[in-house]
Amino acid sequence: MKYYMAPLEGITTYIFRQVYNRHFERFDKYFTPFLASTKLTSREKQEILPENNQGITLVPQILANNPDTFLGIARQLADYGYRTVNLNLGCPSGTVVAKKRGAGQLGDICRLRDFLDEIFEKCPLTISVKTRIGLESMEEWDALIELYSDYKLEELIIHPRLREEYYSGKPHVDAVSKAIKHGLGYPVCYNGDILSKDDLQRVVAFLTDIPDYNIMIGRGVLRNPFLLSQIKGLDSHDDSDSESLIRDFLIDLAESYAQAYGKGQDRNVLFKQKDIWNYLGLEVEGHDKEIKMIRKTESVAEYCSLVKRIYHG
Ligand SMILES: Cc1cc2nc3c(=O)[nH]c(=O)nc-3n(C[C@H](O)[C@H](O)[C@H](O)COP(=O)(O)O)c2cc1C
């Protein structure tokens, strides 16, 4: 079983990936948040530059519903030395779905088939897919499995929720089991709501008769950056060690963003830190006052001293 860090737009940037890797257990694979510009923007280039991603396996992700856009981005990625790309068929956001991209592509199987036919025929790179199990109805999944079984994917990553469910309710683990039992002939990866080792064990118990699959984790690792080492049974830190490790990670992260953004960018640096606190804050007890101050502060120096007040281990 291999473990992947999920792409989270605006959060798992190259800076986040680098800093996470300096402090915590590394994942087997990382995925960029989606790239969508026909000509990669300078921000998108930063995400995929090999020098920004040393020592890790990175798969760039593309969000596109037009074969020319997809192939144009893929060719630029090939020029940077990438051999595989991931297609986003899962993004549930209103603006993305309204343009029939991401999970919005799942609603019209004929159009999706035409799109896949063309990109699989012409793409110089292998293609994996990250998908939801339908737009509005569980009935859609069987046809999607049939569709995916017609292509030689690098891997199928399944977040087993409908678009309509966004992130609510429990993931439909049985949908993943159905896809694997169909015998697709390539690896399958489960993704969704793994926040603890127990959550993973529940998925493993559900998929008990299934020989091989991989696991992708997103929000769980933001809430608890030790999650992967705990899952692997490698975490032997006491509470005070853990506090100082998280503190050093958060300060490194803020300083790394500050360095990348340059002087006078405190507000932008802090936007990035505050996004992480939406998840990390859920796991912190007894520091409501400091967390409120983190949400309000406009100074990186004050932010770092608040982090030190919370994690003084
Ligand atoms: C803020 C946010 C941004 C996301 N951005 C992306 C993205 O760029 N590409 C993608 O495939 N999935 C994206 N996702 C979905 C995650 O990769 C993942 O599928 C989802 O969070 C479920 O996994 P988890 O429960 O382990 O977090 C995003 C999710 C969130 C909450």
Side-chain angles (χ1 to χ4, degrees), residues 27-248:
F27 283 82
D28 296 298
K29 225 181 244 184
Y30 297 78
F31 292 73
T32 67
F34 62 75
L35 311 167
S37 311
T38 314
K39 187 172 179 321
L40 291 176
T41 62
S42 59
R43 184 189 58 78
E44 288 175 330
K45 279 187 195 152
Q46 291 293 329
E47 281 303 316
I48 53 106
L49 278 177
E51 58 264 40
N52 286 345
N53 293 287
Q54 279 175 7
I56 62 164
T57 302
L58 180 73
V59 180
Q61 184 187 72
I62 300 178
L63 177 80
N65 62 6
N66 169 318
D68 291 337
T69 308
F70 182 94
L71 293 165
I73 300 174
R75 288 187 190 113
Q76 292 169 73
L77 295 168
D79 290 342
Y80 283 96
Y82 287 95
R83 299 219 317 269
T84 186
V85 282
N86 179 259
L87 168 66
N88 180 328
L89 293 179
C91 182
S93 127
T95 46
V96 168
V97 170
K99 290 185 188 155
K100 303 243 181 311
R101 296 194 293 174
Q105 277 157 277
L106 303 176
D108 184 343
I109 296 249
C110 291
R111 192 164 168 215
L112 181 55
R113 183 179 287 282
D114 289 345
F115 173 74
L116 294 176
D117 280 347
E118 189 163 348
I119 64 170
F120 273 87
E121 187 197 333
K122 298 183 180 162
C123 186
L125 312 175
T126 61
I127 303 170
S128 62
V129 167
K130 183 165 178 283
T131 188
R132 285 189 176 238
I133 57 175
L135 205 54
E136 300 177 327
S137 151
M138 296 297 292
E139 315 290 297
E140 296 166 43
W141 185 225
D142 285 343
L144 284 167
I145 295 177
E146 286 296 335
L147 175 72
Y148 294 139
S149 71
D150 287 342
Y151 300 91
K152 181 77 195 92
L153 268 60
E154 179 75 20
E155 181 159 14
L156 181 64
I157 301 162
I158 306 169
H159 177 61
R161 282 191 172 100
L162 299 168
R163 181 270 166 167
E164 201 176 80
E165 295 173 306
Y166 282 84
Y167 295 103
S168 67
K170 284 205 179 355
H172 306 278
V173 187
D174 52 323
V176 178
S177 146
K178 199 179 214 182
I180 301 176
K181 285 182 178 155
H182 189 85
L184 293 166
Y186 44 76
V188 170
C189 175
Y190 170 89
N191 163 241
D193 292 29
I194 293 186
L195 303 179
S196 66
K197 190 171 181 169
D198 285 353
D199 290 336
L200 176 65
Q201 279 168 346
R202 268 191 287 277
V203 171
V204 170
F206 192 91
L207 299 177
T208 184
D209 52 339
I210 306 241
D212 201 17
Y213 54 93
N214 300 316
I215 294 285
M216 174 182 269
I217 304 179
R219 293 164 299 171
V221 83
L222 299 179
R223 287 172 70 143
N224 168 17
F226 295 104
L227 183 55
L228 185 58
S229 53
Q230 288 168 356
I231 282 174
K232 290 183 168 179
L234 302 172
D235 186 41
S236 56
H237 306 110
D238 62 24
D239 286 353
S240 131
D241 275 351
S242 304
E243 292 220 347
S244 52
L245 284 165
I246 296 202
R247 179 192 62 215
D248 294 351

